[in-house]
Amino acid sequence: MGTRGTTYLGIDGGGTRCRARIEEENGEVLGEANSGPATTRIGLEEAWCSIMEATQAAAAQTGLTHEDFARMHAGIGLAGLGRRGAEAALNKIPHPFASVIFISDGLAACLGAHSGADGAIVVAGTGSVGVGLIEGREIRLAGYGFPVSDEGSGADIGLQVVRQALRAADHRSALTPLLSEVLGAFDHDPYQAVAWSEEARATDYAVFAPIVMRHANEGDPVGRRIVERAADAIGDLLDLFLAKGIDRLSLVGGLADAITPWLTPDLRGRLRRPDADAAAGALLVARGQLNLPKREPDMNRLQSSAFDGAWNHSHGYRRSRSPLCRS
C-alpha cells in the first residue's frame, strides 16, 4: 500500500521490551508493535536489532515497506543512552530514516507523561530512574543501572528476594511462603540459584518482582519489608522533585500501579495519571514539536570507560543478527 506522505516513528526502548509506534502527519496511528529489550546494556547492535524488528512489524501492519522509511522521521527513546560513548556510537549506525533523534527512555516517558510540559516522572519498571523537566532544563535522579543503582525497581526487588531466599536456605532466617516459592524456582538448591545468578540480567531478576508484590499484599513479612524498602526508594525520588519545585508528578513503568499503594498518603495524593506513554513522548521529538531540554550540570553521569570501544561485544549476543537489523 505504501505511505501517502511523511510519517513519524516513536520508539520506547527499555530493558524488558521495545515498542514502536508509527503515525501519519495528522496523528493517526498506522501501526504499533513490540520486540525484545532495547538497552545499551545488552550492546548497541542488539538494541538496534530490537528497534528495527519492532519498526518493521509496526510498518507491516499498514503495508509500509523499507522504502517508505526514507519519508519517516524517528524519535528513539533508549534505555542506557547516558552510558559514555553510547549516543556517539548510535549516531554512527547507518539508518534508513529521513531523520533520527536519540533521547533516553526516561526523557521520552517524561515528555509523554506531561505532553512536553514541565513535570517529573519516576519510572518503576525493570529499572528505576527519576526524570524532571523545569524551565527548559532536564533533571535526572538515580537510574545509574542495576545492580549499583535502580533502587525500587523490579530488578532490585528480585535481587533482594533472591538474597533473602539464600539466607533462608541456610536457616539464617525463617522460611516464609514467599521465600519457599522463590527457592522452588531453583529446585530448592541454593547452588542452582548461584549458577543462575552468574549470567542473570536485570530482566531475569525482575521476573520475581510480581511474586514479591503478591506475597507482600498477602502479608508475607519478608515480602512486606522488601516492598516497603522499594516504596521508600521511589518516594525519595518523588520528594526530591518536589524539593526542586516540580509538583506535577507521575509514576510510570510496569510496577507503577503495584507500588503506588505502598507510598505515603501524601505522595499518593500528589500523583497524576500520565497524559500518554514514552512512545508518544518520542513521537513529539520525531515531529520536532519541542526543544530538547538541557541537562543540569550537576546531573552529568559518571560512566564506565569500559564501555568505550567495546559496545558491540560488551555482553555477547544471545541471538544471531537478524536481516531486519539491516539499515
Side-chain angles (χ1 to χ4, degrees), residues 297-319:
D298 61 339
M299 293 298 166
N300 287 335
R301 299 286 148 156
L302 296 176
Q303 304 297 344
S304 170
S305 60
F307 182 79
D308 291 338
W311 62 265
N312 60 342
H313 60 272
S314 57
H315 291 274
Y317 299 123
R318 297 187 178 184
R319 64 184 179 193

Side-chain angles (χ1 to χ4, degrees), residues 155-177:
D156 185 56
I157 289 172
L159 175 62
Q160 301 308 316
V161 77
V162 170
R163 283 177 174 169
Q164 292 300 317
L166 292 177
R167 288 178 58 85
D170 288 345
H171 304 289
R172 289 181 286 156
S173 64
L175 183 66
T176 69

Side-chain angles (χ1 to χ4, degrees), residues 30-325:
L30 296 175
E32 186 169 352
N34 297 329
S35 64
T39 166
T40 65
R41 294 180 178 88
I42 62 173
L44 297 195
E45 187 174 348
E46 188 167 352
W48 184 255
C49 191
S50 291
I51 290 168
M52 292 308 300
E53 286 180 3
T55 300
Q56 292 274 16
Q61 294 175 8
T62 191
L64 295 176
T65 67
H66 191 274
E67 287 69 28
D68 294 308
F69 291 173
R71 294 185 295 277
M72 185 181 292
H73 296 272
I76 298 179
L78 192 62
L81 188 67
R83 301 181 79 194
R84 180 176 292 174
E87 189 169 0
L90 281 165
N91 284 322
K92 293 179 181 178
I93 296 178
H95 66 79
F97 305 111
S99 67
V100 172
I101 299 176
F102 292 101
I103 59 173
S104 71
D105 62 332
L107 178 55
C110 190
L111 293 171
H114 304 298
S115 301
D118 283 0
I121 61 159
V122 172
V123 179
T126 300
S128 66
V129 66
V131 181
L133 300 175
I134 182 169
E135 298 177 351
R137 294 178 290 117
E138 176 188 358
I139 302 171
R140 290 180 63 85
L141 302 173
Y144 294 97
F146 177 82
V148 298
S149 181
D150 290 20
E151 296 90 340
S153 69
D156 185 56
I157 289 172
L159 175 62
Q160 301 308 316
V161 77
V162 170
R163 283 177 174 169
Q164 292 300 317
L166 292 177
R167 288 178 58 85
D170 288 345
H171 304 289
R172 289 181 286 156
S173 64
L175 183 66
T176 69
L178 166 62
L179 300 182
S180 180
E181 182 171 345
V182 172
L183 284 172
F186 303 106
D187 298 326
H188 295 274
D189 180 357
Y191 292 102
Q192 188 178 131
V194 171
W196 169 85
S197 71
E198 291 174 351
E199 294 189 0
R201 295 177 174 178
T203 51
D204 300 315
Y205 279 100
V207 168
F208 290 103
I211 299 172
V212 176
M213 297 300 309
R214 171 165 51 83
H215 280 277
N217 289 326
E218 292 171 355
D220 186 282
V222 174
R224 289 187 64 87
R225 287 197 298 271
I226 292 173
V227 175
E228 286 169 354
R229 175 182 178 275
D232 285 344
I234 298 300
D236 286 345
L237 296 179
L238 292 168
D239 282 334
L240 282 169
F241 283 125
L242 288 170
K244 288 179 175 290
I246 302 176
D247 57 7
R248 180 170 170 161
L249 303 173
S250 294
L251 187 60
V252 302
L255 283 177
D257 289 341
I259 206 76
T260 295
W262 294 82
L263 297 174
T264 64
D266 176 64
L267 285 177
R268 288 201 306 270
R270 289 178 176 272
L271 293 176
R272 56 170 290 166
R273 293 193 64 83
D275 296 338
D277 59 15
L283 279 162
L284 288 176
V285 173
R287 291 177 176 274
Q289 294 182 347
L290 46 81
N291 294 320
L292 292 180
K294 295 181 179 179
R295 183 77 58 84
E296 272 199 351
D298 61 339
M299 293 298 166
N300 287 335
R301 299 286 148 156
L302 296 176
Q303 304 297 344
S304 170
S305 60
F307 182 79
D308 291 338
W311 62 265
N312 60 342
H313 60 272
S314 57
H315 291 274
Y317 299 123
R318 297 187 178 184
R319 64 184 179 193
S320 60
R321 185 170 170 83
S322 164
L324 297 181
C325 300

